[in-house]
Amino acid sequence: MKKKLIFSAALVLSLGLAGCGTDSSKEDNPKENGAKTEEHQKVQAKTTDDVIKHFKDDGLELGEVSDLPNDEFGNIRKEGKRILIPSLGNDSGGRIFLFDNEENLKKAKSYYDELGNSGPMFYSHTHQSGKFLLQMNGDMEDNEFAKYAASLEKAVTGSTDIKIKEESKANNAENLTEANVGDVMKDDFAGTYTITDLYEAPTEKYKSADVEFSIDGMKTAKLVARDPKLIETAAETNVLILSVTGENLSDDTVSFHPSSAIMTTDTKRQIEANGMISPFESEFVGKVIQKGEVIFDLGEEGLESVTELKFVFKGTVKDAMTIGEGVTVVIPVNKK
């Protein structure tokens, strides 16, 4: 299970003291002491622009920076900036706030933290330093967010020493096949999947020419797309995921394409598999076994009112010629 990094407000500041007891150098040379104090204050950020400059100076990724609209805590904050992080996807990144008092800051931080507790897809990173609050998209890796939090601390307090405690985060699955309800699986191409329901899968095996296949699992998920236009989905959508295993029983090289399957529902919908986000290797070179997922975009309505699904798989192909019959599989919709 991946860990969420929570940064404590209790920071250890290095003040350059020679030791315990009376520091005679301060008494003997007050000008030097004042110079040190002034030097320490120079590193302290006073505005959100100061913090952003520190991010840039520390070599952190930054895209477009813009002022936040008033509906984002405009009634209780002093300043607010939207920060885009290109590697997280279109219009993704975070925010940096400056508040007049800690009470208002805590209100904003609680909003993001409680939103994250309502579901993994709403999770975001937060870190407070002084009267500044940093919030970043939960798709950012923990160790990457730690760099921004450390840079903020250095900007605001001059400290690079952050005490960190670990706290469990939403379950992160390594792949869609093994993912269970509530698990989150991040795909660098498609986006972030959060599993919503598991369904009973058929136990039969099916055959087209020399390819034998089975449907080993069926589940639904919320997909937050990394690039909706590229994969031809909405920014957030419901998907149906079939886990499929295929085996070539011959020595020939053949192709079987479950990622081009068509699904129909008893509510009279017809949906083609989204081949762009269906990770299934269709070429079988001799007696090999291939495993992967076939994904259907269900849209906003998901499987609402659906009691039966029908999947039509195209026949096996060899040397650009279809050699096997198509296969139709009917599956009742029963949650596990």
Side-chain angles (χ1 to χ4, degrees):
M1 180 179 294
K2 194 175 179 182
K3 299 291 183 182
K4 166 183 172 184
L5 300 181
I6 306 292
F7 298 86
S8 171
L11 302 170
V12 180
L13 303 181
S14 176
L15 301 178
L17 299 179
C20 297
T22 302
D23 186 348
S24 60
S25 63
K26 292 182 181 179
E27 297 174 355
D28 296 339
N29 195 347
K31 290 184 179 180
E32 182 181 344
N33 179 54
K36 287 182 179 180
T37 303
E38 182 180 354
E39 181 181 350
H40 179 72
Q41 288 176 343
K42 284 181 180 179
V43 303
Q44 293 181 327
K46 303 297 183 184
T47 67
T48 52
D49 285 333
D50 292 339
V51 173
I52 291 166
K53 182 179 184 302
H54 272 268
F55 288 167
K56 292 179 180 178
D57 291 344
D58 287 338
L60 300 178
E61 182 185 8
L62 284 176
E64 181 183 346
V65 177
S66 58
D67 291 329
L68 283 173
N70 285 331
D71 60 358
E72 296 196 42
F73 305 112
N75 59 327
I76 61 172
R77 63 173 163 84
K78 186 175 180 180
E79 296 180 19
K81 297 287 186 182
R82 176 82 163 108
I83 305 169
L84 296 184
I85 308 295
S87 64
L88 294 179
N90 291 341
D91 199 34
S92 293
R95 297 159 179 81
I96 180 72
F97 298 96
L98 174 60
F99 291 87
D100 285 316
N101 57 68
E102 190 166 347
E103 181 181 355
N104 286 336
L105 185 151
K106 287 182 177 179
K107 289 179 182 177
K109 188 176 188 303
S110 294
Y111 168 80
Y112 288 114
D113 293 343
E114 289 173 10
L115 188 64
N117 291 334
S118 68
M121 68 183 298
F122 301 112
Y123 170 76
S124 64
H125 302 278
T126 60
H127 178 59
Q128 171 189 353
S129 179
K131 294 178 182 177
F132 288 88
L133 174 65
L134 175 65
Q135 178 266 336
M136 281 288 181
N137 189 305
D139 286 340
M140 177 177 281
E141 295 294 334
D142 289 344
N143 61 345
E144 191 65 21
F145 178 71
K147 298 175 185 178
Y148 289 86
S151 182
L152 174 62
E153 285 299 338
K154 187 168 63 174
V156 176
T157 70
S159 172
T160 56
D161 189 356
I162 303 176
K163 290 184 177 180
I164 301 171
K165 72 174 184 177
E166 293 184 345
E167 187 174 291
S168 61
K169 183 184 174 181
N171 294 341
N172 284 264
E174 293 185 1
N175 56 67
L176 289 174
T177 301
E178 302 298 329
N180 289 307
V181 174
D183 285 354
V184 177
M185 206 288 287
K186 182 178 179 182
D187 182 275
D188 290 338
F189 179 72
T192 302
Y193 296 91
T194 302
I195 307 304
T196 51
D197 284 299
L198 302 181
Y199 296 85
E200 294 180 2
T203 57
E204 295 89 344
K205 289 190 175 182
Y206 310 94
K207 195 173 181 183
S208 174
D210 291 317
V211 173
E212 187 176 75
F213 71 97
S214 60
I215 298 173
D216 307 315
M218 188 168 76
K219 63 193 67 172
T220 51
K222 289 278 188 182
L223 169 62
V224 178
R226 181 177 178 84
D227 188 336
K229 291 183 179 179
L230 179 62
I231 65 173
E232 299 179 350
T233 69
E236 295 186 18
T237 189
N238 296 291
V239 295
L240 178 76
I241 304 166
L242 295 184
S243 296
V244 177
T245 297
E247 180 178 4
N248 183 9
L249 304 177
S250 74
D251 293 320
D252 299 330
T253 296
V254 298
S255 295
F256 175 64
H257 299 272
S259 56
S260 63
I262 296 174
M263 178 185 77
T264 62
T265 72
D266 58 352
T267 56
K268 300 184 178 180
R269 295 183 69 193
Q270 177 174 311
I271 304 170
E272 295 182 6
N274 188 324
M276 298 188 71
I277 59 174
S278 295
F280 191 97
E281 176 56 56
S282 59
E283 186 176 51
F284 293 73
V285 182
K287 293 179 178 178
V288 296
I289 295 175
Q290 306 277 24
K291 294 177 179 286
E293 276 71 45
V294 183
I295 300 176
F296 299 83
D297 187 352
L298 300 173
E300 290 185 4
E301 55 193 287
L303 289 181
E304 185 177 353
S305 302
V306 177
T307 60
E308 184 178 87
L309 298 171
K310 181 185 294 184
F311 299 92
V312 179
F313 296 90
K314 295 181 179 180
T316 299
V317 174
K318 177 183 177 182
D319 298 328
M321 298 289 292
T322 300
I323 62 171
E325 295 183 355
V327 177
T328 299
V329 179
V330 178
I331 306 177
V333 178
N334 295 317
K335 290 184 182 180
K336 285 188 174 181

